[in-house]
Amino acid sequence: MKMNIALVPGDGIGPEIIAEAVKVLEKVGEVYGHEFCFDHLIAGGASIDLNGVPLTEETINRAKAADAVMLGAVGGPKWDNEPGPNRPERALLGLRSSLGLFCNLRPAIIYPELSEASPLKSEVVANGIDIMVVRELTGGIYFGEKGRKDDAAYDVMYYSRPEIERISKKAFDAAMLRDKHVTVVDKANVLESSRLWREVTKEVAASYPEVTLDYMYVDNAAMQLVKNPGQFDVVLTENMFGDILSDEASMITGSIGMLPSASLREDKFGMYEPIHGSAPDIAGKGISNPIATILSAAMMLRYTFSLEKEADAIERAVKEALRDGLRTMDIKKNDEKASSTEEAGLEIVRRIR
Ligand code: NAD
């Protein structure tokens, strides 16, 4: 199978972490007989330096022509004084909206080997945590009508049935590849839009008889995430609740350098990136953790290319490397030796089989 991947390394540590993900993909290609073709694109601060703007039409068009996009991170102090519309981060928003990505998948994983990094009590996370937050990305209160009237202001939370249906299918599809449990997080005791979410998710669930569906109010979900995170598999929610809960879920893992993400649309196309930023404080030192980006590559194989075995092989290699003691600077304990970005990549490549 031949796959066309647009690579957008971006700024700061972006290029170094993307380089390690490419090595992992190349090893997967070798072991499983696939061909990955990479198109290197420029966006963010690098594009401001070269083209005067964070995102060009050419980058958008070449990203659209690919089967999937892998992004490192954008931004850094060099461009902090750029005016709002020309800031490097606009490249992300520009790519997401021009590619029509409405579904954000954010796994929050605590590996038992790294449970000490979590701010939660060890007995709460002793068995590891593996939650997938599925957040609607292009609707809801952030995009509804907004305005001012006299001395008041309003933002409308608006959702249509098709918008809820398409994101729900993504969540149930994801659940089918996991523990087959979806929790819809809403505020159905007060919000009419949440009551529509309940109706539609119930209808979508009928096509997935193997998946257990339950509902939880968002205030309770915020508590349960720290009290008993092990109860969650897939958390499906609207844009604003998802914004808040996905950050909460990633913070309980305590390791920002480890968390991948995917943004998807109705077909198989997706954009895959670590949740962290360009880490300008450590850029160029060769000490960044490439695991979030490598796990984003695994998500790409699973969600865009339906290569489940190959995605599993990457995730297994990461787990084995951690079990065998791989620690980059951000996840090591005081007395442990830290691996460089390249050494970490190599340890994972070696374990792909
Ligand atoms: P950040 O995620 O870049 O860094 C926060 C802290 O985590 C830093 O101490 C950093 O060294 C550490 N860190 C992050 N990723 C790491 C990794 N892979 N390995 C080891 N340590 C890691 O967040 P920030 O400092 O708030 O932002 C820096 C720049 O990145 C800003 O310009 C910001 O706008 C941008 N940013 C970009 C994205 C993106 O491209 N998706 C996301 C967030 C922030």
Side-chain angles (χ1 to χ4, degrees):
M1 186 168 167
K2 187 173 164 188
M3 288 156 270
N4 294 310
I5 299 162
L7 290 180
V8 189
D11 310 311
I13 61 170
E16 53 195 79
I17 52 181
I18 286 283
E20 299 312 313
V22 166
K23 288 180 202 164
V24 169
L25 285 171
E26 278 169 346
K27 180 66 186 280
V28 168
E30 210 180 288
V31 173
Y32 289 88
H34 302 302
E35 191 184 344
F36 295 103
C37 298
F38 299 107
D39 187 15
H40 293 255
L41 305 183
I42 292 179
S47 174
I48 296 176
D49 288 352
L50 195 70
N51 310 303
V53 289
L55 185 65
T56 60
E57 277 304 311
E58 192 201 335
T59 294
I60 294 175
N61 289 335
R62 280 165 60 183
K64 279 184 182 164
D67 300 317
V69 179
M70 282 210 65
L71 187 130
V74 295
K78 183 175 176 193
W79 305 280
D80 274 354
N81 295 325
E82 289 290 333
N86 211 41
R87 288 185 59 90
E89 295 78 2
R90 285 298 172 110
L92 291 179
L93 302 180
L95 277 170
R96 284 180 193 142
S97 64
S98 46
L99 298 171
L101 306 170
F102 64 85
C103 169
N104 188 225
L105 300 188
R106 285 248 307 242
I109 302 163
I110 301 179
Y111 297 94
E113 294 81 4
L114 298 180
S115 60
E116 282 181 28
S118 169
L120 300 184
K121 282 191 188 140
S122 54
E123 62 264 30
V124 177
V125 295
N127 297 323
I129 298 295
D130 185 353
I131 303 169
M132 174 74 81
V133 180
V134 180
R135 169 188 170 195
E136 203 288 327
L137 213 51
T138 55
I141 197 163
Y142 294 168
F143 293 89
E145 191 190 334
K146 50 188 82 248
R148 297 270 179 129
K149 194 164 185 282
D150 304 326
D151 60 351
Y154 58 92
D155 301 275
V156 175
M157 167 98 88
Y158 180 95
Y159 269 109
S160 68
R161 195 166 255 283
E163 280 176 306
I164 304 169
E165 228 168 60
R166 64 184 187 176
I167 184 88
S168 302
K169 284 184 188 150
K170 290 283 181 195
F172 281 87
D173 287 342
M176 288 298 289
L177 298 171
R178 300 171 43 96
D179 288 343
K180 302 190 173 65
H181 176 198
V182 173
T183 304
V184 174
V185 171
D186 62 25
K187 193 71 186 169
N189 46 347
V190 284
L191 296 180
E192 197 53 41
S193 56
S194 289
R195 290 192 274 272
L196 182 63
W197 271 77
R198 289 206 176 193
E199 271 173 49
V200 175
T201 46
K202 217 167 268 159
E203 288 163 22
V204 171
S207 307
Y208 298 83
E210 289 169 59
V211 178
T212 308
L213 168 67
D214 50 34
Y215 296 93
M216 192 179 279
Y217 295 142
V218 63
D219 39 352
N220 186 25
M223 285 195 290
Q224 294 299 326
L225 269 175
V226 289
K227 191 171 164 219
N228 179 15
Q231 71 185 288
F232 296 107
D233 176 25
V234 173
V235 170
L236 165 61
T237 190
E238 63 87 41
N239 200 346
M240 180 171 57
F241 298 160
D243 190 0
I244 300 164
L245 291 182
S246 59
D247 267 15
E248 185 188 355
S250 44
M251 282 305 118
I252 64 171
T253 70
S255 41
I256 193 173
M258 307 273 300
L259 299 174
S261 80
S263 301
L264 308 173
R265 62 184 193 206
E266 251 148 339
D267 59 8
K268 292 291 217 169
F269 186 92
M271 184 159 98
Y272 299 86
E273 57 187 306
I275 71 155
H276 60 70
S278 59
D281 52 335
I282 56 167
K285 295 186 181 161
I287 55 171
S288 59
N289 185 345
I291 292 180
T293 314
I294 289 169
L295 291 174
S296 300
M299 289 186 84
M300 175 179 74
L301 297 184
R302 177 172 294 124
Y303 292 105
T304 289
F305 300 113
S306 301
L307 297 175
E308 191 58 29
K309 260 196 333 271
E310 291 81 343
D312 283 348
I314 296 180
E315 288 165 356
R316 189 182 54 232
V318 168
K319 278 187 197 138
E320 287 180 6
L322 291 171
R323 185 199 60 202
D324 298 345
L326 169 66
R327 296 289 184 274
T328 40
M329 253 256 306
D330 54 318
I331 52 173
K332 80 177 186 75
K333 280 189 245 146
N334 290 340
D335 50 340
E336 283 171 339
K337 180 184 165 296
S339 297
S340 69
T341 310
E342 269 191 58
E343 286 162 351
L346 189 70
E347 288 301 318
I348 293 163
V349 166
R350 284 197 314 117
R351 290 172 172 82
I352 300 283
R353 56 176 192 274

